[in-house]
Amino acid sequence: MSALDDLLTCLRFASVSTDSKFNADTRACAEWLVSKLTGMGLTTTLHETPGHPVIVAKNKHLEGRRTVLLYGHYDVQPVEPLAEWLSPPFEPTIRDGRIYCRGATDNKGQLIAHVSGLAETLAEHGDLPVNLTLLFEGEEEIGSPNLKPFLQAHREELACDLVAISDTGMVAEGVGTFTYGLRGIACMEVKVHGPTIDLHSGIFGGAVANPATMAARLVGTLHDAEGRVLIPGFYDGVRDLQDWERTSWKDLGDGEAETLALTGAPALFGEAGYTERECRWARPTAEVNGIGGGYQGEGSKTVIPRESFFKLSFRLVPGQNPERILDLAEAYLRAQAPKSVRLEIKRGHTGSSYLMDPHSPYGLAAQRALQATFGGQIALIREGGSIPIVQAFKDVLGADTLLLGLALPDCQAHAPNENFPIANLEAGIRLNQALLRELAI
Ligand code: BES
Ligand code: ZN
């Protein structure tokens, strides 16, 4: 099977981790990966967890070689809104050299690029130049709730010198990009309860608080007009950007124009004193990911809904602790809420931010591998997205993570028409081989 065939096969599994409707597809994807890795000669185990399975695969580990842990995720985000897909989300379709499918970039295309790189090397040489451990999970998109305990429980089996991941972006097509930092995340759901039943808004309106109005008011207390978060203590300990980062990010070109074009937003918005890239890669935020309550059907309905809700996620930077941020947010929202409503607050998943030195020996090895693959100058960036397990690799295994992304800025990850260029699949195969060569002792 060619790398492309393998990727198309992997993409046809609808491995949506958040929705139990897709549990059988998610498991089938894991089982397919196990058979693929076993067929390559790797010793492969499917580990059950309370959620989706974790896969561990290894070559024969030899004394005196470097041990590299390669991580990826086989789960994907939901496909909605379905009507906006130009081809069905789980039928990979090639148009203009790109594969369109949910998971094409995030993360199956990048994962299969590595698997294919390994398969080629193993077929040619019978072994790899390093001790390799593959760790693939099916819950990254829901915060890796079972991988963190798995890491603790299997810390000896997973011991390594460093971790490598391709699950981040490139600044532009063909530009090798090394990501040395990620934002962390902390999620929370808030229900605003009012009366015990929906009420006629004419009969009771004015005397009973409207939970939908109160949700809007509470959400409105989160930011000032420029987007700075108003939760007391939110910015405590936040580490400043270093001068070299600000300079080298400016050298990447006009980020504002690119972000305007990619997003279609009428204008950019953000904290004063920071460029658009600095806001996305190195500043913390509070985002409303969902808000609702009350009548959503056609026409009007004069009702006071008995409850409303909003869903928040905070993106965090070095110096912020996710659990502490949730404590501060909860205390702040409770203090802002009037007595006329009751808040029910559910904490969601968390993951720490990550920062490493791109000029460390392993950082330089990663840059050389990117250079060998893409040529030209290597962009050194941080990213705004999160991979919740990365800081846990540092805490539990003591290993730094090299983030060697293959996603293009217009890959539409998490959105309709997600896509991955076949050229990046091929580049990823070369990158895998260059990286292992660089890391071999
Ligand atoms: N691949 C992304 C993370 C990413 C995207 C990093 C772009 C850098 C640039 C990953 O699959 C992802 O989407 N993570 C989630 C994690 C969350 C659900 C816990 C995210 O960042 O929203
Ligand atoms: Zn993702």
mmCIF file of all heavy atoms in Angstrom, residues 313-347:
data_model
loop_
_atom_site.group_PDB
_atom_site.id
_atom_site.type_symbol
_atom_site.label_atom_id
_atom_site.label_comp_id
_atom_site.label_asym_id
_atom_site.label_seq_id
_atom_site.Cartn_x
_atom_site.Cartn_y
_atom_site.Cartn_z
ATOM 1 N N SER A 313 -13.705 28.814 26.998
ATOM 2 C CA SER A 313 -12.367 28.229 27.093
ATOM 3 C C SER A 313 -11.370 29.363 27.233
ATOM 4 O O SER A 313 -11.520 30.416 26.611
ATOM 5 C CB SER A 313 -12.045 27.344 25.892
ATOM 6 O OG SER A 313 -12.087 28.081 24.699
ATOM 7 N N PHE A 314 -10.402 29.128 28.075
ATOM 8 C CA PHE A 314 -9.316 30.092 28.279
ATOM 9 C C PHE A 314 -8.073 29.520 27.610
ATOM 10 O O PHE A 314 -7.777 28.340 27.811
ATOM 11 C CB PHE A 314 -9.051 30.304 29.775
ATOM 12 C CG PHE A 314 -10.254 30.827 30.506
ATOM 13 C CD1 PHE A 314 -11.153 29.961 31.123
ATOM 14 C CD2 PHE A 314 -10.509 32.190 30.556
ATOM 15 C CE1 PHE A 314 -12.278 30.444 31.779
ATOM 16 C CE2 PHE A 314 -11.633 32.686 31.210
ATOM 17 C CZ PHE A 314 -12.520 31.810 31.821
ATOM 18 N N ARG A 315 -7.404 30.322 26.804
ATOM 19 C CA ARG A 315 -6.097 29.906 26.258
ATOM 20 C C ARG A 315 -5.040 30.524 27.155
ATOM 21 O O ARG A 315 -5.111 31.726 27.481
ATOM 22 C CB ARG A 315 -5.912 30.387 24.826
ATOM 23 C CG ARG A 315 -6.813 29.727 23.827
ATOM 24 C CD ARG A 315 -6.422 28.293 23.501
ATOM 25 N NE ARG A 315 -7.509 27.663 22.759
ATOM 26 C CZ ARG A 315 -7.429 26.483 22.163
ATOM 27 N NH1 ARG A 315 -6.329 25.769 22.226
ATOM 28 N NH2 ARG A 315 -8.463 25.983 21.527
ATOM 29 N N LEU A 316 -4.082 29.713 27.548
ATOM 30 C CA LEU A 316 -3.155 30.122 28.603
ATOM 31 C C LEU A 316 -1.714 30.120 28.124
ATOM 32 O O LEU A 316 -1.368 29.410 27.178
ATOM 33 C CB LEU A 316 -3.312 29.160 29.782
ATOM 34 C CG LEU A 316 -4.768 28.999 30.251
ATOM 35 C CD1 LEU A 316 -4.863 27.954 31.344
ATOM 36 C CD2 LEU A 316 -5.345 30.332 30.729
ATOM 37 N N VAL A 317 -0.908 30.907 28.777
ATOM 38 C CA VAL A 317 0.501 31.031 28.378
ATOM 39 C C VAL A 317 1.385 30.694 29.578
ATOM 40 O O VAL A 317 0.890 30.584 30.711
ATOM 41 C CB VAL A 317 0.787 32.453 27.826
ATOM 42 C CG1 VAL A 317 -0.080 32.743 26.615
ATOM 43 C CG2 VAL A 317 0.607 33.517 28.893
ATOM 44 N N PRO A 318 2.696 30.529 29.341
ATOM 45 C CA PRO A 318 3.579 30.187 30.455
ATOM 46 C C PRO A 318 3.415 31.160 31.629
ATOM 47 O O PRO A 318 3.286 32.367 31.432
ATOM 48 C CB PRO A 318 4.974 30.274 29.827
ATOM 49 C CG PRO A 318 4.735 29.883 28.397
ATOM 50 C CD PRO A 318 3.412 30.508 28.048
ATOM 51 N N GLY A 319 3.377 30.589 32.825
ATOM 52 C CA GLY A 319 3.161 31.387 34.029
ATOM 53 C C GLY A 319 1.742 31.244 34.561
ATOM 54 O O GLY A 319 1.472 31.601 35.700
ATOM 55 N N GLN A 320 0.814 30.720 33.755
ATOM 56 C CA GLN A 320 -0.574 30.548 34.216
ATOM 57 C C GLN A 320 -0.845 29.072 34.488
ATOM 58 O O GLN A 320 -0.497 28.213 33.670
ATOM 59 C CB GLN A 320 -1.562 31.040 33.151
ATOM 60 C CG GLN A 320 -1.606 32.537 32.989
ATOM 61 C CD GLN A 320 -2.565 32.931 31.884
ATOM 62 O OE1 GLN A 320 -2.426 32.486 30.746
ATOM 63 N NE2 GLN A 320 -3.539 33.757 32.211
ATOM 64 N N ASN A 321 -1.523 28.808 35.606
ATOM 65 C CA ASN A 321 -1.897 27.441 35.950
ATOM 66 C C ASN A 321 -3.376 27.229 35.607
ATOM 67 O O ASN A 321 -4.234 27.973 36.071
ATOM 68 C CB ASN A 321 -1.643 27.252 37.452
ATOM 69 C CG ASN A 321 -2.146 25.917 37.930
ATOM 70 O OD1 ASN A 321 -3.342 25.631 37.906
ATOM 71 N ND2 ASN A 321 -1.231 25.081 38.347
ATOM 72 N N PRO A 322 -3.684 26.221 34.783
ATOM 73 C CA PRO A 322 -5.069 26.060 34.310
ATOM 74 C C PRO A 322 -6.096 25.920 35.437
ATOM 75 O O PRO A 322 -7.179 26.510 35.360
ATOM 76 C CB PRO A 322 -5.024 24.781 33.474
ATOM 77 C CG PRO A 322 -3.594 24.578 33.112
ATOM 78 C CD PRO A 322 -2.774 25.233 34.167
ATOM 79 N N GLU A 323 -5.773 25.138 36.478
ATOM 80 C CA GLU A 323 -6.757 24.949 37.561
ATOM 81 C C GLU A 323 -6.989 26.264 38.307
ATOM 82 O O GLU A 323 -8.115 26.586 38.690
ATOM 83 C CB GLU A 323 -6.290 23.856 38.545
ATOM 84 C CG GLU A 323 -6.161 22.475 37.916
ATOM 85 C CD GLU A 323 -7.473 21.930 37.343
ATOM 86 O OE1 GLU A 323 -8.554 22.344 37.820
ATOM 87 O OE2 GLU A 323 -7.402 21.105 36.409
ATOM 88 N N ARG A 324 -5.917 27.007 38.505
ATOM 89 C CA ARG A 324 -6.054 28.300 39.201
ATOM 90 C C ARG A 324 -6.900 29.259 38.370
ATOM 91 O O ARG A 324 -7.733 29.997 38.912
ATOM 92 C CB ARG A 324 -4.669 28.890 39.481
ATOM 93 C CG ARG A 324 -4.754 30.244 40.153
ATOM 94 C CD ARG A 324 -3.423 30.734 40.703
ATOM 95 N NE ARG A 324 -3.614 32.052 41.294
ATOM 96 C CZ ARG A 324 -3.544 33.187 40.607
ATOM 97 N NH1 ARG A 324 -3.280 33.170 39.308
ATOM 98 N NH2 ARG A 324 -3.750 34.347 41.222
ATOM 99 N N ILE A 325 -6.719 29.229 37.066
ATOM 100 C CA ILE A 325 -7.508 30.111 36.204
ATOM 101 C C ILE A 325 -8.994 29.756 36.325
ATOM 102 O O ILE A 325 -9.857 30.641 36.405
ATOM 103 C CB ILE A 325 -7.013 30.010 34.733
ATOM 104 C CG1 ILE A 325 -5.618 30.630 34.608
ATOM 105 C CG2 ILE A 325 -8.009 30.648 33.761
ATOM 106 C CD1 ILE A 325 -5.514 32.116 34.887
ATOM 107 N N LEU A 326 -9.317 28.453 36.391
ATOM 108 C CA LEU A 326 -10.720 28.071 36.551
ATOM 109 C C LEU A 326 -11.248 28.514 37.914
ATOM 110 O O LEU A 326 -12.401 28.957 38.029
ATOM 111 C CB LEU A 326 -10.894 26.561 36.357
ATOM 112 C CG LEU A 326 -10.662 26.049 34.925
ATOM 113 C CD1 LEU A 326 -10.920 24.541 34.846
ATOM 114 C CD2 LEU A 326 -11.550 26.773 33.902
ATOM 115 N N ASP A 327 -10.420 28.431 38.958
ATOM 116 C CA ASP A 327 -10.836 28.927 40.292
ATOM 117 C C ASP A 327 -11.159 30.418 40.215
ATOM 118 O O ASP A 327 -12.193 30.877 40.714
ATOM 119 C CB ASP A 327 -9.698 28.771 41.315
ATOM 120 C CG ASP A 327 -9.472 27.326 41.727
ATOM 121 O OD1 ASP A 327 -10.375 26.503 41.501
ATOM 122 O OD2 ASP A 327 -8.378 27.035 42.262
ATOM 123 N N LEU A 328 -10.260 31.177 39.585
ATOM 124 C CA LEU A 328 -10.456 32.636 39.515
ATOM 125 C C LEU A 328 -11.708 32.963 38.705
ATOM 126 O O LEU A 328 -12.493 33.844 39.073
ATOM 127 C CB LEU A 328 -9.242 33.307 38.851
ATOM 128 C CG LEU A 328 -7.915 33.258 39.611
ATOM 129 C CD1 LEU A 328 -6.793 33.855 38.757
ATOM 130 C CD2 LEU A 328 -8.021 34.007 40.938
ATOM 131 N N ALA A 329 -11.899 32.254 37.603
ATOM 132 C CA ALA A 329 -13.046 32.536 36.725
ATOM 133 C C ALA A 329 -14.347 32.225 37.465
ATOM 134 O O ALA A 329 -15.311 33.001 37.406
ATOM 135 C CB ALA A 329 -12.943 31.710 35.443
ATOM 136 N N GLU A 330 -14.351 31.101 38.158
ATOM 137 C CA GLU A 330 -15.578 30.712 38.867
ATOM 138 C C GLU A 330 -15.922 31.744 39.946
ATOM 139 O O GLU A 330 -17.070 32.202 40.049
ATOM 140 C CB GLU A 330 -15.413 29.317 39.483
ATOM 141 C CG GLU A 330 -16.637 28.907 40.269
ATOM 142 C CD GLU A 330 -16.726 27.406 40.579
ATOM 143 O OE1 GLU A 330 -15.884 26.620 40.095
ATOM 144 O OE2 GLU A 330 -17.682 27.059 41.303
ATOM 145 N N ALA A 331 -14.913 32.142 40.727
ATOM 146 C CA ALA A 331 -15.152 33.119 41.804
ATOM 147 C C ALA A 331 -15.653 34.439 41.203
ATOM 148 O O ALA A 331 -16.592 35.064 41.730
ATOM 149 C CB ALA A 331 -13.870 33.341 42.590
ATOM 150 N N TYR A 332 -15.058 34.843 40.095
ATOM 151 C CA TYR A 332 -15.440 36.114 39.464
ATOM 152 C C TYR A 332 -16.884 36.062 38.954
ATOM 153 O O TYR A 332 -17.687 36.967 39.229
ATOM 154 C CB TYR A 332 -14.475 36.396 38.310
ATOM 155 C CG TYR A 332 -14.758 37.660 37.538
ATOM 156 C CD1 TYR A 332 -14.572 38.909 38.110
ATOM 157 C CD2 TYR A 332 -15.198 37.603 36.215
ATOM 158 C CE1 TYR A 332 -14.815 40.079 37.393
ATOM 159 C CE2 TYR A 332 -15.439 38.759 35.485
ATOM 160 C CZ TYR A 332 -15.245 39.992 36.080
ATOM 161 O OH TYR A 332 -15.484 41.141 35.372
ATOM 162 N N LEU A 333 -17.229 34.984 38.244
ATOM 163 C CA LEU A 333 -18.589 34.888 37.695
ATOM 164 C C LEU A 333 -19.621 34.830 38.815
ATOM 165 O O LEU A 333 -20.670 35.468 38.737
ATOM 166 C CB LEU A 333 -18.715 33.660 36.785
ATOM 167 C CG LEU A 333 -17.950 33.769 35.461
ATOM 168 C CD1 LEU A 333 -17.900 32.415 34.748
ATOM 169 C CD2 LEU A 333 -18.578 34.824 34.541
ATOM 170 N N ARG A 334 -19.319 34.102 39.886
ATOM 171 C CA ARG A 334 -20.274 34.031 41.007
ATOM 172 C C ARG A 334 -20.439 35.404 41.651
ATOM 173 O O ARG A 334 -21.544 35.794 42.035
ATOM 174 C CB ARG A 334 -19.822 33.002 42.050
ATOM 175 C CG ARG A 334 -19.938 31.565 41.549
ATOM 176 C CD ARG A 334 -19.945 30.544 42.691
ATOM 177 N NE ARG A 334 -19.913 29.180 42.165
ATOM 178 C CZ ARG A 334 -20.961 28.540 41.631
ATOM 179 N NH1 ARG A 334 -22.140 29.142 41.580
ATOM 180 N NH2 ARG A 334 -20.844 27.317 41.160
ATOM 181 N N ALA A 335 -19.346 36.149 41.743
ATOM 182 C CA ALA A 335 -19.436 37.481 42.357
ATOM 183 C C ALA A 335 -20.231 38.443 41.462
ATOM 184 O O ALA A 335 -20.883 39.359 41.966
ATOM 185 C CB ALA A 335 -18.028 38.026 42.604
ATOM 186 N N GLN A 336 -20.179 38.224 40.139
ATOM 187 C CA GLN A 336 -20.898 39.120 39.215
ATOM 188 C C GLN A 336 -22.391 38.794 39.117
ATOM 189 O O GLN A 336 -23.182 39.629 38.690
ATOM 190 C CB GLN A 336 -20.316 39.006 37.784
ATOM 191 C CG GLN A 336 -18.847 39.352 37.646
ATOM 192 C CD GLN A 336 -18.556 40.779 38.046
ATOM 193 O OE1 GLN A 336 -19.259 41.701 37.645
ATOM 194 N NE2 GLN A 336 -17.541 40.966 38.869
ATOM 195 N N ALA A 337 -22.759 37.553 39.451
ATOM 196 C CA ALA A 337 -24.153 37.129 39.223
ATOM 197 C C ALA A 337 -25.066 37.685 40.309
ATOM 198 O O ALA A 337 -24.757 37.588 41.496
ATOM 199 C CB ALA A 337 -24.218 35.610 39.217
ATOM 200 N N PRO A 338 -26.196 38.275 39.924
ATOM 201 C CA PRO A 338 -27.137 38.754 40.946
ATOM 202 C C PRO A 338 -27.841 37.583 41.643
ATOM 203 O O PRO A 338 -27.836 36.463 41.122
ATOM 204 C CB PRO A 338 -28.136 39.571 40.118
ATOM 205 C CG PRO A 338 -28.057 39.028 38.744
ATOM 206 C CD PRO A 338 -26.662 38.497 38.551
ATOM 207 N N LYS A 339 -28.468 37.881 42.798
ATOM 208 C CA LYS A 339 -29.157 36.834 43.576
ATOM 209 C C LYS A 339 -30.330 36.223 42.812
ATOM 210 O O LYS A 339 -30.809 35.153 43.130
ATOM 211 C CB LYS A 339 -29.700 37.454 44.867
ATOM 212 C CG LYS A 339 -28.673 37.582 45.974
ATOM 213 C CD LYS A 339 -29.397 37.483 47.309
ATOM 214 C CE LYS A 339 -29.132 38.558 48.313
ATOM 215 N NZ LYS A 339 -28.796 39.898 47.985
ATOM 216 N N SER A 340 -30.820 36.946 41.801
ATOM 217 C CA SER A 340 -32.016 36.505 41.074
ATOM 218 C C SER A 340 -31.762 35.324 40.148
ATOM 219 O O SER A 340 -32.712 34.801 39.549
ATOM 220 C CB SER A 340 -32.566 37.684 40.274
ATOM 221 O OG SER A 340 -31.509 38.282 39.540
ATOM 222 N N VAL A 341 -30.521 34.905 40.006
ATOM 223 C CA VAL A 341 -30.237 33.681 39.242
ATOM 224 C C VAL A 341 -29.252 32.811 40.035
ATOM 225 O O VAL A 341 -28.559 33.294 40.926
ATOM 226 C CB VAL A 341 -29.613 33.968 37.841
ATOM 227 C CG1 VAL A 341 -30.637 34.597 36.908
ATOM 228 C CG2 VAL A 341 -28.356 34.836 37.946
ATOM 229 N N ARG A 342 -29.222 31.528 39.664
ATOM 230 C CA ARG A 342 -28.285 30.593 40.314
ATOM 231 C C ARG A 342 -27.370 30.030 39.230
ATOM 232 O O ARG A 342 -27.844 29.620 38.170
ATOM 233 C CB ARG A 342 -29.083 29.466 40.983
ATOM 234 C CG ARG A 342 -28.234 28.402 41.665
ATOM 235 C CD ARG A 342 -29.126 27.383 42.409
ATOM 236 N NE ARG A 342 -30.037 26.669 41.506
ATOM 237 C CZ ARG A 342 -29.680 25.594 40.807
ATOM 238 N NH1 ARG A 342 -28.459 25.105 40.885
ATOM 239 N NH2 ARG A 342 -30.569 24.995 40.016
ATOM 240 N N LEU A 343 -26.073 30.037 39.499
ATOM 241 C CA LEU A 343 -25.123 29.518 38.504
ATOM 242 C C LEU A 343 -24.755 28.074 38.824
ATOM 243 O O LEU A 343 -24.492 27.736 39.973
ATOM 244 C CB LEU A 343 -23.830 30.344 38.495
ATOM 245 C CG LEU A 343 -23.929 31.827 38.163
ATOM 246 C CD1 LEU A 343 -22.526 32.399 37.949
ATOM 247 C CD2 LEU A 343 -24.803 32.058 36.932
ATOM 248 N N GLU A 344 -24.742 27.256 37.768
ATOM 249 C CA GLU A 344 -24.230 25.889 37.906
ATOM 250 C C GLU A 344 -22.985 25.828 37.017
ATOM 251 O O GLU A 344 -23.090 26.017 35.804
ATOM 252 C CB GLU A 344 -25.298 24.910 37.419
ATOM 253 C CG GLU A 344 -24.915 23.469 37.556
ATOM 254 C CD GLU A 344 -25.958 22.546 36.888
ATOM 255 O OE1 GLU A 344 -27.107 22.984 36.636
ATOM 256 O OE2 GLU A 344 -25.584 21.417 36.582
ATOM 257 N N ILE A 345 -21.846 25.632 37.631
ATOM 258 C CA ILE A 345 -20.586 25.711 36.873
ATOM 259 C C ILE A 345 -19.933 24.342 36.819
ATOM 260 O O ILE A 345 -19.732 23.688 37.845
ATOM 261 C CB ILE A 345 -19.633 26.751 37.513
ATOM 262 C CG1 ILE A 345 -20.286 28.132 37.424
ATOM 263 C CG2 ILE A 345 -18.260 26.731 36.825
ATOM 264 C CD1 ILE A 345 -19.452 29.277 37.930
ATOM 265 N N LYS A 346 -19.663 23.908 35.581
ATOM 266 C CA LYS A 346 -19.013 22.597 35.389
ATOM 267 C C LYS A 346 -17.637 22.844 34.779
ATOM 268 O O LYS A 346 -17.539 23.491 33.736
ATOM 269 C CB LYS A 346 -19.876 21.760 34.438
ATOM 270 C CG LYS A 346 -19.751 20.286 34.646
ATOM 271 C CD LYS A 346 -20.868 19.517 33.945
ATOM 272 C CE LYS A 346 -20.329 18.903 32.670
ATOM 273 N NZ LYS A 346 -21.363 18.378 31.797
ATOM 274 N N ARG A 347 -16.617 22.333 35.429
ATOM 275 C CA ARG A 347 -15.269 22.496 34.875
ATOM 276 C C ARG A 347 -15.008 21.450 33.804
ATOM 277 O O ARG A 347 -15.389 20.297 33.959
ATOM 278 C CB ARG A 347 -14.236 22.336 35.985
ATOM 279 C CG ARG A 347 -14.224 23.529 36.890
ATOM 280 C CD ARG A 347 -13.554 23.149 38.178
ATOM 281 N NE ARG A 347 -13.461 24.338 38.988
ATOM 282 C CZ ARG A 347 -12.312 24.883 39.390
ATOM 283 N NH1 ARG A 347 -11.163 24.335 39.076
ATOM 284 N NH2 ARG A 347 -12.318 25.973 40.119
#
